[in-house]
Amino acid sequence: GENVEQHPSTLSVQEGDSAVIKCTYSDSASNYFPWYKQELGKRPQLIIDIRSNVGEKKDQRIAVTLNKTAKHFSLHITETQPEDSAVYFCAASAGGYQKVTFGTGTKLQVIP
Amino acid sequence: DSGVTQTPKHLITATGQRVTLRCSPRSGDLSVYWYQQSLDQGLQFLIQYYNGEERAKGNILERFSAQQFPDLHSELNLSSLELGDSALYFCASSVASSGSNEQFFGPGTRLTVL
């Protein structure tokens, strides 16, 4: 089955700096890669996703890149703000009846 | 608010007991997913139902079972509870059966086994 590895497990950045979280996946059939943000004590929420026919996607300060050949994808957050502090999960799915496999999460702390 | 509801919010019980967690998906969503999140851990996929039928199975223990009813709400049954079953249990829903759709998570049920 699919295996998703996520690094780093914790990340501290100064407010205004950029943050990068990296994930690798094992199943070459995976074609959907969502990122979820989970604030302390709250539910995970989708912040951005990318499909395998696209190499990069941006939404304001958030961007995701995908390298299908290397089987890795990354989340980039620019101009970080204290409210970006949360746990971020990457995930991968081959679609169809295949489940979504989540990474282990990255705890991002933005220091004011 | 995602539109997904879960009850109860908190559940405290003893080892060996059985509990039922309930989830109501967003209006129009046919798929329901169950996840387990232990302290400082990731999201472990348990099981998925689509329109009443089991669609995908993760690392769900034999002591755990689930079902989706005709009104599309779902229940997760946990029996012979052990201390290690203490966790946050999330339900999520999506419009279709494919894994390539956004999942909307409920607020979770925090289970504490004493």
Side-chain angles (χ1 to χ4, degrees):
Chain A
E2 175 69 277
N3 182 48
V4 177
E5 294 189 358
Q6 183 171 349
H7 301 281
S9 57
T10 60
L11 180 59
S12 291
V13 300
Q14 291 289 331
E15 181 178 356
D17 288 349
S18 295
V20 180
I21 302 170
K22 299 182 179 181
C23 289
T24 60
Y25 61 98
S26 60
D27 188 351
S28 57
S30 288
N31 55 22
Y32 176 63
F33 307 92
W35 287 87
Y36 285 82
K37 175 183 180 181
Q38 185 179 23
E39 297 178 4
L40 189 62
K42 296 190 176 180
R43 73 193 79 192
Q45 289 186 284
L46 182 75
I47 55 171
I48 194 167
D49 57 13
I50 191 168
R51 300 184 188 273
S52 58
N53 58 347
V54 175
E56 183 176 4
K57 184 176 179 180
K58 289 183 180 180
D59 183 3
Q60 300 182 338
R61 298 185 296 107
I62 294 174
V64 58
T65 59
L66 171 65
N67 184 326
K68 288 180 60 181
T69 302
K71 287 192 273 188
H72 68 69
F73 55 113
S74 301
L75 178 72
H76 304 253
I77 305 174
T78 58
E79 300 172 15
T80 54
Q81 302 169 3
E83 51 265 38
D84 294 329
S85 295
V87 178
Y88 292 81
F89 292 98
C90 64
S93 173
Y97 293 145
Q98 299 303 310
K99 63 186 177 74
V100 175
T101 301
F102 284 84
T104 50
T106 295
K107 186 174 184 179
L108 173 63
Q109 181 185 17
V110 179
I111 304 167
Chain B
D1 186 0
S2 66
V4 178
T5 60
Q6 287 186 251
T7 57
K9 282 189 177 180
H10 302 277
L11 200 49
I12 301 174
T13 188
T15 54
Q17 295 297 305
R18 172 189 170 94
V19 297
T20 298
L21 282 54
R22 182 187 169 103
C23 168
S24 292
R26 290 189 322 155
S27 177
D29 283 359
L30 300 179
S31 271
V32 169
Y33 306 79
W34 286 98
Y35 293 90
Q36 180 191 57
Q37 186 175 43
S38 301
L39 189 64
D40 292 335
Q41 295 294 311
L43 291 159
Q44 297 297 319
F45 169 73
L46 296 177
I47 197 164
Q48 178 202 358
Y49 279 84
Y50 174 76
N51 203 20
E53 294 187 4
E54 183 183 306
R55 271 289 179 257
K57 217 167 185 176
N59 298 323
I60 187 167
L61 299 172
E62 287 190 9
R63 300 184 286 109
F64 296 0
S65 64
Q67 55 183 328
Q68 186 178 30
F69 295 86
D71 67 352
L72 300 178
H73 91 271
S74 178
E75 292 181 356
L76 178 67
N77 300 295
L78 314 177
S79 62
S80 302
L81 285 168
E82 301 175 358
L83 296 177
D85 297 328
S86 295
L88 191 54
Y89 290 84
F90 284 106
C91 160
S93 73
S94 68
V95 64
S97 63
S98 169
S100 302
N101 293 280
E102 177 179 0
Q103 295 184 21
F104 296 86
F105 283 79
T109 293
R110 183 168 295 281
L111 173 66
T112 302
V113 182
L114 300 176

